[in-house]
Amino acid sequence: MNEMFECTWCGEQQAYRSSGPVHWELPDGSQAIEISGTPQVFCKSCGIVFTEEAVTIEIEDQLMLIDTKQLNDKVSYGELMKIERKLKRNYFRFD
């Protein structure tokens, strides 16, 4: 079984890591895609399912750095992260 930890939203020790689909709008706004197998957090207590900020940043950066015109409507998280980048880093992220 997955190790439980404190939920960011309700504070109960009922959260665990899981994965599932998310829907994401491409940076140019041309379409939304489904990304399956995305790392998520699920809380048994409050029922929330969310993507942690680090994963969100990782997805946003990858979508900024690849040729999104080659993407289908659905892609797995693993496949998305393996796509070759056109740039080395997201120069719009200043942190």
Side-chain angles (χ1 to χ4, degrees), residues 16-56:
Y16 63 91
R17 300 197 186 289
S18 64
S19 64
V22 295
H23 295 87
W24 222 274
E25 184 176 344
L26 296 181
D28 66 2
S30 62
Q31 73 179 64
I33 61 171
E34 180 180 306
I35 306 170
S36 63
T38 304
Q40 298 174 331
V41 174
F42 174 74
C43 179
K44 285 182 165 184
S45 180
C46 68
I48 193 159
V49 179
F50 67 95
T51 305
E52 292 179 292
E53 184 177 7
V55 174
T56 298

mmCIF file of all heavy atoms in Angstrom, residues 16-56:
data_model
loop_
_atom_site.group_PDB
_atom_site.id
_atom_site.type_symbol
_atom_site.label_atom_id
_atom_site.label_comp_id
_atom_site.label_asym_id
_atom_site.label_seq_id
_atom_site.Cartn_x
_atom_site.Cartn_y
_atom_site.Cartn_z
ATOM 1 N N TYR A 16 -2.018 10.145 -0.360
ATOM 2 C CA TYR A 16 -0.988 9.265 -0.911
ATOM 3 C C TYR A 16 -0.768 9.604 -2.385
ATOM 4 O O TYR A 16 -1.607 10.220 -3.031
ATOM 5 C CB TYR A 16 -1.346 7.787 -0.735
ATOM 6 C CG TYR A 16 -2.583 7.328 -1.458
ATOM 7 C CD1 TYR A 16 -2.508 6.819 -2.750
ATOM 8 C CD2 TYR A 16 -3.830 7.378 -0.848
ATOM 9 C CE1 TYR A 16 -3.650 6.392 -3.418
ATOM 10 C CE2 TYR A 16 -4.965 6.942 -1.504
ATOM 11 C CZ TYR A 16 -4.866 6.451 -2.788
ATOM 12 O OH TYR A 16 -5.992 6.032 -3.445
ATOM 13 N N ARG A 17 0.384 9.219 -2.879
ATOM 14 C CA ARG A 17 0.736 9.479 -4.270
ATOM 15 C C ARG A 17 0.058 8.455 -5.181
ATOM 16 O O ARG A 17 -0.027 7.284 -4.847
ATOM 17 C CB ARG A 17 2.242 9.437 -4.456
ATOM 18 C CG ARG A 17 2.924 10.474 -3.594
ATOM 19 C CD ARG A 17 4.323 10.782 -3.996
ATOM 20 N NE ARG A 17 4.943 11.676 -3.017
ATOM 21 C CZ ARG A 17 4.643 12.949 -2.840
ATOM 22 N NH1 ARG A 17 3.736 13.504 -3.583
ATOM 23 N NH2 ARG A 17 5.251 13.680 -1.929
ATOM 24 N N SER A 18 -0.420 8.933 -6.306
ATOM 25 C CA SER A 18 -1.051 8.073 -7.296
ATOM 26 C C SER A 18 -0.739 8.667 -8.673
ATOM 27 O O SER A 18 0.095 9.560 -8.789
ATOM 28 C CB SER A 18 -2.564 7.990 -7.048
ATOM 29 O OG SER A 18 -3.166 9.250 -7.210
ATOM 30 N N SER A 19 -1.411 8.202 -9.682
ATOM 31 C CA SER A 19 -1.263 8.795 -11.009
ATOM 32 C C SER A 19 -2.596 8.685 -11.732
ATOM 33 O O SER A 19 -3.432 7.840 -11.411
ATOM 34 C CB SER A 19 -0.158 8.103 -11.808
ATOM 35 O OG SER A 19 -0.491 6.766 -12.053
ATOM 36 N N GLY A 20 -2.777 9.554 -12.690
ATOM 37 C CA GLY A 20 -4.026 9.558 -13.442
ATOM 38 C C GLY A 20 -3.974 10.580 -14.558
ATOM 39 O O GLY A 20 -2.961 11.241 -14.775
ATOM 40 N N PRO A 21 -5.068 10.750 -15.264
ATOM 41 C CA PRO A 21 -5.099 11.692 -16.383
ATOM 42 C C PRO A 21 -5.319 13.136 -15.920
ATOM 43 O O PRO A 21 -5.985 13.382 -14.918
ATOM 44 C CB PRO A 21 -6.290 11.209 -17.214
ATOM 45 C CG PRO A 21 -7.212 10.610 -16.196
ATOM 46 C CD PRO A 21 -6.319 9.988 -15.150
ATOM 47 N N VAL A 22 -4.718 14.055 -16.653
ATOM 48 C CA VAL A 22 -4.988 15.485 -16.481
ATOM 49 C C VAL A 22 -5.235 16.069 -17.866
ATOM 50 O O VAL A 22 -4.810 15.505 -18.869
ATOM 51 C CB VAL A 22 -3.821 16.244 -15.787
ATOM 52 C CG1 VAL A 22 -3.614 15.768 -14.367
ATOM 53 C CG2 VAL A 22 -2.527 16.130 -16.570
ATOM 54 N N HIS A 23 -5.931 17.163 -17.910
ATOM 55 C CA HIS A 23 -6.177 17.857 -19.172
ATOM 56 C C HIS A 23 -5.430 19.178 -19.127
ATOM 57 O O HIS A 23 -5.503 19.902 -18.126
ATOM 58 C CB HIS A 23 -7.681 18.054 -19.390
ATOM 59 C CG HIS A 23 -8.379 16.749 -19.547
ATOM 60 N ND1 HIS A 23 -8.851 16.022 -18.480
ATOM 61 C CD2 HIS A 23 -8.637 16.018 -20.652
ATOM 62 C CE1 HIS A 23 -9.383 14.905 -18.917
ATOM 63 N NE2 HIS A 23 -9.273 14.879 -20.238
ATOM 64 N N TRP A 24 -4.694 19.458 -20.202
ATOM 65 C CA TRP A 24 -3.805 20.611 -20.213
ATOM 66 C C TRP A 24 -3.975 21.398 -21.497
ATOM 67 O O TRP A 24 -3.992 20.829 -22.587
ATOM 68 C CB TRP A 24 -2.349 20.127 -20.150
ATOM 69 C CG TRP A 24 -1.515 20.935 -19.235
ATOM 70 C CD1 TRP A 24 -0.851 22.095 -19.544
ATOM 71 C CD2 TRP A 24 -1.224 20.666 -17.875
ATOM 72 N NE1 TRP A 24 -0.185 22.558 -18.443
ATOM 73 C CE2 TRP A 24 -0.400 21.689 -17.409
ATOM 74 C CE3 TRP A 24 -1.595 19.653 -17.003
ATOM 75 C CZ2 TRP A 24 0.076 21.737 -16.116
ATOM 76 C CZ3 TRP A 24 -1.121 19.700 -15.721
ATOM 77 C CH2 TRP A 24 -0.297 20.727 -15.281
ATOM 78 N N GLU A 25 -4.071 22.707 -21.372
ATOM 79 C CA GLU A 25 -4.111 23.567 -22.552
ATOM 80 C C GLU A 25 -2.684 23.827 -23.001
ATOM 81 O O GLU A 25 -1.809 24.132 -22.189
ATOM 82 C CB GLU A 25 -4.806 24.892 -22.232
ATOM 83 C CG GLU A 25 -4.964 25.783 -23.438
ATOM 84 C CD GLU A 25 -5.729 27.062 -23.147
ATOM 85 O OE1 GLU A 25 -6.389 27.145 -22.103
ATOM 86 O OE2 GLU A 25 -5.648 27.977 -23.970
ATOM 87 N N LEU A 26 -2.435 23.712 -24.299
ATOM 88 C CA LEU A 26 -1.106 23.975 -24.831
ATOM 89 C C LEU A 26 -0.771 25.456 -24.670
ATOM 90 O O LEU A 26 -1.669 26.300 -24.654
ATOM 91 C CB LEU A 26 -1.032 23.564 -26.303
ATOM 92 C CG LEU A 26 -1.229 22.081 -26.578
ATOM 93 C CD1 LEU A 26 -1.103 21.803 -28.081
ATOM 94 C CD2 LEU A 26 -0.235 21.226 -25.806
ATOM 95 N N PRO A 27 0.515 25.782 -24.552
ATOM 96 C CA PRO A 27 0.915 27.175 -24.318
ATOM 97 C C PRO A 27 0.391 28.168 -25.356
ATOM 98 O O PRO A 27 0.114 29.318 -25.018
ATOM 99 C CB PRO A 27 2.449 27.116 -24.357
ATOM 100 C CG PRO A 27 2.788 25.721 -23.981
ATOM 101 C CD PRO A 27 1.667 24.876 -24.536
ATOM 102 N N ASP A 28 0.234 27.714 -26.602
ATOM 103 C CA ASP A 28 -0.264 28.637 -27.633
ATOM 104 C C ASP A 28 -1.785 28.729 -27.659
ATOM 105 O O ASP A 28 -2.362 29.468 -28.457
ATOM 106 C CB ASP A 28 0.274 28.254 -29.012
ATOM 107 C CG ASP A 28 -0.230 26.910 -29.515
ATOM 108 O OD1 ASP A 28 -1.044 26.254 -28.817
ATOM 109 O OD2 ASP A 28 0.195 26.505 -30.614
ATOM 110 N N GLY A 29 -2.458 27.968 -26.787
ATOM 111 C CA GLY A 29 -3.904 28.018 -26.683
ATOM 112 C C GLY A 29 -4.635 27.321 -27.820
ATOM 113 O O GLY A 29 -5.857 27.422 -27.919
ATOM 114 N N SER A 30 -3.911 26.600 -28.660
ATOM 115 C CA SER A 30 -4.519 25.988 -29.846
ATOM 116 C C SER A 30 -5.413 24.794 -29.541
ATOM 117 O O SER A 30 -6.337 24.506 -30.286
ATOM 118 C CB SER A 30 -3.436 25.568 -30.845
ATOM 119 O OG SER A 30 -2.587 24.585 -30.266
ATOM 120 N N GLN A 31 -5.134 24.081 -28.450
ATOM 121 C CA GLN A 31 -5.933 22.919 -28.093
ATOM 122 C C GLN A 31 -5.610 22.485 -26.674
ATOM 123 O O GLN A 31 -4.628 22.927 -26.083
ATOM 124 C CB GLN A 31 -5.693 21.757 -29.057
ATOM 125 C CG GLN A 31 -4.334 21.070 -28.875
ATOM 126 C CD GLN A 31 -4.128 19.915 -29.825
ATOM 127 O OE1 GLN A 31 -4.085 20.127 -31.021
ATOM 128 N NE2 GLN A 31 -3.996 18.711 -29.311
ATOM 129 N N ALA A 32 -6.441 21.593 -26.165
ATOM 130 C CA ALA A 32 -6.174 20.954 -24.881
ATOM 131 C C ALA A 32 -5.845 19.493 -25.162
ATOM 132 O O ALA A 32 -6.367 18.910 -26.113
ATOM 133 C CB ALA A 32 -7.378 21.062 -23.969
ATOM 134 N N ILE A 33 -4.977 18.921 -24.354
ATOM 135 C CA ILE A 33 -4.604 17.520 -24.512
ATOM 136 C C ILE A 33 -4.834 16.788 -23.199
ATOM 137 O O ILE A 33 -4.916 17.407 -22.132
ATOM 138 C CB ILE A 33 -3.134 17.358 -24.954
ATOM 139 C CG1 ILE A 33 -2.172 17.947 -23.908
ATOM 140 C CG2 ILE A 33 -2.907 17.973 -26.330
ATOM 141 C CD1 ILE A 33 -0.709 17.626 -24.161
ATOM 142 N N GLU A 34 -4.931 15.468 -23.289
ATOM 143 C CA GLU A 34 -5.013 14.636 -22.098
ATOM 144 C C GLU A 34 -3.640 14.012 -21.873
ATOM 145 O O GLU A 34 -3.063 13.436 -22.797
ATOM 146 C CB GLU A 34 -6.049 13.533 -22.272
ATOM 147 C CG GLU A 34 -6.155 12.634 -21.049
ATOM 148 C CD GLU A 34 -7.182 11.531 -21.210
ATOM 149 O OE1 GLU A 34 -8.346 11.864 -21.523
ATOM 150 O OE2 GLU A 34 -6.814 10.360 -21.026
ATOM 151 N N ILE A 35 -3.135 14.130 -20.655
ATOM 152 C CA ILE A 35 -1.853 13.542 -20.287
ATOM 153 C C ILE A 35 -2.153 12.445 -19.276
ATOM 154 O O ILE A 35 -2.522 12.721 -18.131
ATOM 155 C CB ILE A 35 -0.893 14.591 -19.696
ATOM 156 C CG1 ILE A 35 -0.734 15.776 -20.648
ATOM 157 C CG2 ILE A 35 0.465 13.946 -19.394
ATOM 158 C CD1 ILE A 35 -0.001 16.974 -20.048
ATOM 159 N N SER A 36 -2.033 11.190 -19.697
ATOM 160 C CA SER A 36 -2.339 10.060 -18.818
ATOM 161 C C SER A 36 -1.133 9.714 -17.952
ATOM 162 O O SER A 36 0.004 10.043 -18.288
ATOM 163 C CB SER A 36 -2.754 8.844 -19.649
ATOM 164 O OG SER A 36 -1.687 8.431 -20.480
ATOM 165 N N GLY A 37 -1.392 9.054 -16.842
ATOM 166 C CA GLY A 37 -0.309 8.597 -15.970
ATOM 167 C C GLY A 37 0.456 9.707 -15.283
ATOM 168 O O GLY A 37 1.607 9.529 -14.889
ATOM 169 N N THR A 38 -0.186 10.850 -15.100
ATOM 170 C CA THR A 38 0.469 11.995 -14.467
ATOM 171 C C THR A 38 0.531 11.791 -12.961
ATOM 172 O O THR A 38 -0.476 11.436 -12.342
ATOM 173 C CB THR A 38 -0.311 13.288 -14.784
ATOM 174 O OG1 THR A 38 -0.410 13.427 -16.202
ATOM 175 C CG2 THR A 38 0.370 14.511 -14.204
ATOM 176 N N PRO A 39 1.703 12.031 -12.343
ATOM 177 C CA PRO A 39 1.786 11.911 -10.882
ATOM 178 C C PRO A 39 0.802 12.864 -10.201
ATOM 179 O O PRO A 39 0.702 14.032 -10.574
ATOM 180 C CB PRO A 39 3.235 12.322 -10.575
ATOM 181 C CG PRO A 39 3.974 12.075 -11.845
ATOM 182 C CD PRO A 39 2.990 12.372 -12.945
ATOM 183 N N GLN A 40 0.062 12.327 -9.233
ATOM 184 C CA GLN A 40 -0.943 13.109 -8.518
ATOM 185 C C GLN A 40 -0.926 12.731 -7.048
ATOM 186 O O GLN A 40 -0.298 11.760 -6.646
ATOM 187 C CB GLN A 40 -2.345 12.814 -9.080
ATOM 188 C CG GLN A 40 -2.526 13.184 -10.510
ATOM 189 C CD GLN A 40 -3.872 12.753 -11.061
ATOM 190 O OE1 GLN A 40 -4.464 11.782 -10.623
ATOM 191 N NE2 GLN A 40 -4.358 13.478 -12.052
ATOM 192 N N VAL A 41 -1.656 13.499 -6.274
ATOM 193 C CA VAL A 41 -1.887 13.196 -4.863
ATOM 194 C C VAL A 41 -3.376 12.988 -4.691
ATOM 195 O O VAL A 41 -4.183 13.766 -5.212
ATOM 196 C CB VAL A 41 -1.386 14.338 -3.953
ATOM 197 C CG1 VAL A 41 -1.772 14.084 -2.501
ATOM 198 C CG2 VAL A 41 0.119 14.515 -4.088
ATOM 199 N N PHE A 42 -3.749 11.934 -3.970
ATOM 200 C CA PHE A 42 -5.151 11.654 -3.668
ATOM 201 C C PHE A 42 -5.307 11.600 -2.156
ATOM 202 O O PHE A 42 -4.486 11.000 -1.458
ATOM 203 C CB PHE A 42 -5.582 10.313 -4.266
ATOM 204 C CG PHE A 42 -6.975 9.911 -3.857
ATOM 205 C CD1 PHE A 42 -8.080 10.540 -4.401
ATOM 206 C CD2 PHE A 42 -7.170 8.934 -2.910
ATOM 207 C CE1 PHE A 42 -9.366 10.185 -4.014
ATOM 208 C CE2 PHE A 42 -8.456 8.573 -2.510
ATOM 209 C CZ PHE A 42 -9.547 9.204 -3.066
ATOM 210 N N CYS A 43 -6.349 12.239 -1.626
ATOM 211 C CA CYS A 43 -6.633 12.210 -0.193
ATOM 212 C C CYS A 43 -7.904 11.406 0.056
ATOM 213 O O CYS A 43 -8.971 11.751 -0.453
ATOM 214 C CB CYS A 43 -6.782 13.613 0.367
ATOM 215 S SG CYS A 43 -7.178 13.626 2.137
ATOM 216 N N LYS A 44 -7.780 10.362 0.858
ATOM 217 C CA LYS A 44 -8.944 9.532 1.205
ATOM 218 C C LYS A 44 -9.925 10.296 2.075
ATOM 219 O O LYS A 44 -11.121 10.040 2.040
ATOM 220 C CB LYS A 44 -8.490 8.289 1.971
ATOM 221 C CG LYS A 44 -7.847 7.239 1.125
ATOM 222 C CD LYS A 44 -7.494 6.057 2.017
ATOM 223 C CE LYS A 44 -7.173 4.839 1.228
ATOM 224 N NZ LYS A 44 -6.931 3.679 2.097
ATOM 225 N N SER A 45 -9.432 11.248 2.857
ATOM 226 C CA SER A 45 -10.289 11.957 3.798
ATOM 227 C C SER A 45 -11.209 12.967 3.097
ATOM 228 O O SER A 45 -12.420 12.924 3.257
ATOM 229 C CB SER A 45 -9.439 12.663 4.857
ATOM 230 O OG SER A 45 -10.249 13.357 5.771
ATOM 231 N N CYS A 46 -10.620 13.887 2.318
ATOM 232 C CA CYS A 46 -11.433 14.934 1.694
ATOM 233 C C CYS A 46 -11.758 14.649 0.233
ATOM 234 O O CYS A 46 -12.568 15.345 -0.376
ATOM 235 C CB CYS A 46 -10.768 16.302 1.841
ATOM 236 S SG CYS A 46 -9.225 16.523 0.914
ATOM 237 N N GLY A 47 -11.113 13.626 -0.345
ATOM 238 C CA GLY A 47 -11.417 13.225 -1.709
ATOM 239 C C GLY A 47 -10.756 14.036 -2.804
ATOM 240 O O GLY A 47 -10.980 13.794 -3.983
ATOM 241 N N ILE A 48 -9.910 14.988 -2.437
ATOM 242 C CA ILE A 48 -9.273 15.814 -3.462
ATOM 243 C C ILE A 48 -8.202 15.029 -4.209
ATOM 244 O O ILE A 48 -7.538 14.172 -3.652
ATOM 245 C CB ILE A 48 -8.681 17.099 -2.853
ATOM 246 C CG1 ILE A 48 -8.313 18.067 -3.963
ATOM 247 C CG2 ILE A 48 -7.471 16.800 -1.987
ATOM 248 C CD1 ILE A 48 -8.200 19.494 -3.511
ATOM 249 N N VAL A 49 -8.077 15.310 -5.469
ATOM 250 C CA VAL A 49 -7.007 14.782 -6.308
ATOM 251 C C VAL A 49 -6.331 16.003 -6.922
ATOM 252 O O VAL A 49 -7.004 16.838 -7.532
ATOM 253 C CB VAL A 49 -7.552 13.877 -7.432
ATOM 254 C CG1 VAL A 49 -6.415 13.374 -8.304
ATOM 255 C CG2 VAL A 49 -8.351 12.721 -6.865
ATOM 256 N N PHE A 50 -5.021 16.140 -6.737
ATOM 257 C CA PHE A 50 -4.342 17.298 -7.305
ATOM 258 C C PHE A 50 -2.940 16.947 -7.776
ATOM 259 O O PHE A 50 -2.362 15.948 -7.373
ATOM 260 C CB PHE A 50 -4.314 18.472 -6.318
ATOM 261 C CG PHE A 50 -3.475 18.244 -5.081
ATOM 262 C CD1 PHE A 50 -2.157 18.668 -5.024
ATOM 263 C CD2 PHE A 50 -4.022 17.620 -3.968
ATOM 264 C CE1 PHE A 50 -1.399 18.474 -3.883
ATOM 265 C CE2 PHE A 50 -3.277 17.428 -2.814
ATOM 266 C CZ PHE A 50 -1.955 17.853 -2.772
ATOM 267 N N THR A 51 -2.435 17.788 -8.651
ATOM 268 C CA THR A 51 -1.081 17.667 -9.170
ATOM 269 C C THR A 51 -0.210 18.635 -8.394
ATOM 270 O O THR A 51 -0.540 19.821 -8.293
ATOM 271 C CB THR A 51 -1.055 18.012 -10.679
ATOM 272 O OG1 THR A 51 -1.992 17.178 -11.349
ATOM 273 C CG2 THR A 51 0.318 17.815 -11.266
ATOM 274 N N GLU A 52 0.884 18.134 -7.845
ATOM 275 C CA GLU A 52 1.768 18.987 -7.063
ATOM 276 C C GLU A 52 2.455 20.022 -7.950
ATOM 277 O O GLU A 52 2.636 19.815 -9.154
ATOM 278 C CB GLU A 52 2.817 18.142 -6.332
ATOM 279 C CG GLU A 52 2.200 17.280 -5.246
ATOM 280 C CD GLU A 52 3.220 16.422 -4.535
ATOM 281 O OE1 GLU A 52 3.765 15.501 -5.172
ATOM 282 O OE2 GLU A 52 3.454 16.689 -3.348
ATOM 283 N N GLU A 53 2.836 21.137 -7.343
ATOM 284 C CA GLU A 53 3.417 22.252 -8.089
ATOM 285 C C GLU A 53 4.646 21.854 -8.897
ATOM 286 O O GLU A 53 4.811 22.290 -10.041
ATOM 287 C CB GLU A 53 3.769 23.390 -7.128
ATOM 288 C CG GLU A 53 4.290 24.617 -7.835
ATOM 289 C CD GLU A 53 4.567 25.785 -6.913
ATOM 290 O OE1 GLU A 53 4.494 25.629 -5.681
ATOM 291 O OE2 GLU A 53 4.879 26.868 -7.444
ATOM 292 N N ALA A 54 5.513 21.018 -8.353
ATOM 293 C CA ALA A 54 6.730 20.612 -9.072
ATOM 294 C C ALA A 54 6.384 19.882 -10.366
ATOM 295 O O ALA A 54 7.033 20.098 -11.403
ATOM 296 C CB ALA A 54 7.603 19.737 -8.180
ATOM 297 N N VAL A 55 5.351 19.043 -10.343
ATOM 298 C CA VAL A 55 4.928 18.312 -11.539
ATOM 299 C C VAL A 55 4.294 19.284 -12.530
ATOM 300 O O VAL A 55 4.536 19.208 -13.739
ATOM 301 C CB VAL A 55 3.960 17.162 -11.185
ATOM 302 C CG1 VAL A 55 3.411 16.495 -12.437
ATOM 303 C CG2 VAL A 55 4.648 16.146 -10.286
ATOM 304 N N THR A 56 3.495 20.210 -12.032
ATOM 305 C CA THR A 56 2.875 21.229 -12.886
ATOM 306 C C THR A 56 3.941 22.026 -13.623
ATOM 307 O O THR A 56 3.850 22.238 -14.843
ATOM 308 C CB THR A 56 1.986 22.174 -12.048
ATOM 309 O OG1 THR A 56 0.938 21.407 -11.457
ATOM 310 C CG2 THR A 56 1.393 23.283 -12.888
#
